[in-house]
Amino acid sequence: MSEENDSRQIRVATFNVSMEATNYRSDGDEKLNEKALQEQLSSGNNSQIKNIAEIIQRVRPDIILLNEFDYIENTDIGISAFIKNYLNKSQKPDTKSIDYPYVFLAPVNTGEPSPFDFNRDGVANGKGGDAWGYGNYPGQYGMVVLSQFPIDEKKVRTFKHFKWKDMPGALQPKIPESGEHWYSEAQWQAFRLSSKSMWDVPIIWKGEPLHLLAQHPTPPVFDGPENRNGFRNHDEIRLLADYLSGESYIYDDQQSNEPFSGKRFVIAGDLNASVHSKETVPGTMELLFEHSLIDAQFIPTSSGGARNDPSDPLAKQHTAFWKSRADYVLPSKQGLVVVGGGVFWPQPQHRLFRLVKDRKASSDHRLVYLDLVWQQL
């Protein structure tokens, strides 16, 4: 957008790219698995990653959050390799390369070992369901922000270590039959709310900050009647809503409880929640849709999503092949006007359907974007 349009208009996107190392090697050796994504990023030839890059090149967002891009601290073999070897190279004769000179990434809770038996299987092995966020190695299912505008890194706030117990009225999971808390007292005192993290990333646009509020809450499934993942998903999203509301109980990873004071913001991410999902705790997405500061009126759609489930009149809103609206770009009411948007999901007869035909082609999620116009406050 920035290359071809007035600087008062910007395109912001989110894309769960399903780029974790376990997708590229299945030999069972975890240490090798952790390096598998790095090897594919350096090659420039992986078909799935090439398709992801082509989708980004065709949509051309100015700012994009990538979910499920493994956290690799050394950016030269991580996100910078993706930009250099894939995005900076035209993937097809009718696509142009694209560059993102500004990047933000940080550690996440997924796969980071805890000392606890969170999943109550009798073994505290520090990974999978016993990690601070579900994952088999540190950094799995990470996230990263790419921007064509400068990032004010000194003012970035992360909330990886915020403890669930510190949220007033937290939905503490219980075993229905006994009423016993799922997590022991020691576990509850230590438990981190964010399955990955929550980020407030100020991006300087027209000399002022546009706050990208990035999240990827845990899926509200893969648990039992205690609904520990459903409750966690709800409260992760509540943390975002309460942060916008300036609730004083929230503190960041620097132990600052300074309230959010941004004017223009965009929420982006795979939130793993839907008002139409039976797994989502009722009222979860309403925390954002009905928030006084959020403009949730515009709903991105696609004809491909509609074709994926012709029996559902809401299918055009879906952002995942498993027939749900799970991915969101939600702007502030102040300072921004939505002028368009969509979901990249071509119909089966379209020549670009090859990019989304199945999970191996690119991802089980679709890129979602909004076009926003700057409005003077």
Side-chain angles (χ1 to χ4, degrees):
M1 292 293 292
S2 62
E3 297 174 349
E4 299 152 358
N5 292 274
D6 185 273
S7 61
R8 293 179 65 86
Q9 184 168 327
I10 196 171
R11 176 167 287 181
V12 182
T14 186
F15 193 7
N16 181 328
V17 292
S18 190
M19 287 169 63
E20 59 266 15
T22 50
N23 282 348
Y24 305 105
R25 178 172 284 153
S26 57
D27 56 17
D29 187 323
E30 291 180 14
K31 291 184 178 180
L32 289 177
N33 278 337
E34 291 181 43
K35 296 180 180 179
L37 175 59
Q38 301 171 22
E39 295 171 357
Q40 298 306 317
L41 293 174
S42 66
S43 75
N45 293 319
N46 181 274
S47 60
Q48 181 224 8
I49 302 177
K50 286 172 68 69
N51 285 346
I52 289 168
E54 183 180 344
I55 291 170
I56 295 172
Q57 288 175 354
R58 291 188 181 280
V59 179
R60 309 193 72 75
D62 297 290
I63 300 168
I64 183 169
L65 170 69
L66 303 181
N67 286 134
E68 292 195 17
F69 187 107
D70 276 359
Y71 172 73
I72 302 171
E73 184 177 10
N74 182 348
T75 58
D76 288 342
I77 58 175
I79 188 60
S80 295
F82 174 57
I83 294 171
K84 176 183 175 182
N85 298 322
Y86 289 91
L87 293 179
N88 287 169
K89 296 181 179 179
S90 175
Q91 295 300 322
K92 293 294 178 182
D94 64 337
T95 63
K96 293 166 54 179
S97 64
I98 192 167
D99 191 37
Y100 292 98
Y102 306 101
V103 173
F104 178 77
L105 77 164
V108 291
N109 283 322
T110 34
E112 185 175 327
S114 85
F116 299 109
D117 178 19
F118 285 140
N119 61 9
R120 296 172 69 107
D121 66 354
V123 180
N125 63 11
K127 62 182 180 180
D130 290 338
W132 291 113
Y134 182 88
N136 291 309
Y137 53 86
Q140 188 176 15
Y141 311 115
M143 54 188 190
V144 59
V145 174
L146 306 181
S147 175
Q148 294 180 358
F149 300 95
I151 295 172
D152 189 349
E153 295 204 20
K154 291 183 178 180
K155 294 185 178 179
V156 171
R157 302 180 74 183
T158 64
F159 299 83
K160 175 174 176 278
H161 294 280
F162 178 85
K163 293 181 179 179
W164 198 351
K165 73 175 180 66
D166 291 332
M167 172 179 279
L171 299 181
Q172 186 173 0
K174 296 181 179 180
I175 301 172
E177 296 82 2
S178 65
E180 174 189 357
H181 288 135
W182 179 270
Y183 300 112
S184 70
E185 183 61 22
Q187 291 173 356
W188 184 246
Q189 290 299 313
F191 201 99
R192 302 173 186 176
L193 175 55
S194 290
S195 55
K196 287 84 178 175
S197 187
M198 185 177 80
W199 296 344
D200 176 356
V201 182
I203 297 171
I204 305 305
W205 178 35
K206 293 182 66 63
E208 296 187 33
L210 171 68
H211 292 259
L212 188 74
L213 304 178
Q215 244 195 354
H216 185 193
T218 193
V221 290
F222 311 121
D223 50 18
E226 82 289 344
N227 199 21
R228 67 187 190 278
N229 290 335
F231 289 163
R232 189 180 192 181
N233 173 274
H234 174 279
D235 281 358
E236 286 192 71
I237 292 172
R238 181 189 156 193
L239 182 71
L240 176 56
D242 285 355
Y243 179 60
L244 287 175
S245 298
E247 295 290 343
S248 61
Y249 73 85
I250 300 174
Y251 52 86
D252 61 25
D253 291 333
Q254 301 300 316
Q255 297 299 304
S256 170
N257 63 352
E258 180 181 352
F260 178 73
S261 59
K263 302 300 182 183
R264 296 179 180 85
F265 64 83
V266 180
I267 295 168
D270 171 8
L271 301 187
N272 274 315
S274 169
V275 294
H276 304 292
S277 169
K278 295 180 180 179
E279 287 79 22
T280 301
V281 171
T284 299
M285 284 309 301
E286 286 84 349
L287 293 169
L288 301 182
F289 290 166
E290 298 175 6
H291 198 286
S292 62
L293 300 181
I294 298 172
D295 179 3
Q297 295 301 307
F298 183 92
I299 301 177
T301 62
S302 72
S303 57
R307 286 290 300 274
N308 188 53
D309 188 6
S311 65
D312 184 353
L314 297 177
K316 64 182 180 179
Q317 301 177 12
H318 292 170
T319 67
F321 88 93
W322 32 270
K323 303 176 181 179
S324 179
R325 184 186 181 195
D327 308 82
Y328 298 86
V329 181
L330 301 171
S332 59
K333 287 182 178 178
Q334 285 191 339
L336 299 171
V337 177
V338 181
V339 295
V343 179
F344 183 88
W345 197 335
Q347 294 189 42
Q349 69 271 23
H350 195 281
R351 66 184 182 88
L352 297 181
F353 182 71
R354 60 181 171 78
L355 296 171
V356 299
K357 66 179 181 178
D358 54 36
R359 183 165 187 166
K360 291 183 179 179
S362 54
S363 173
D364 54 342
H365 290 253
R366 307 292 175 249
L367 185 153
V368 181
Y369 66 93
L370 285 187
D371 293 330
L372 305 168
V373 169
W374 172 283
Q375 187 177 56
Q376 192 67 39
L377 294 173

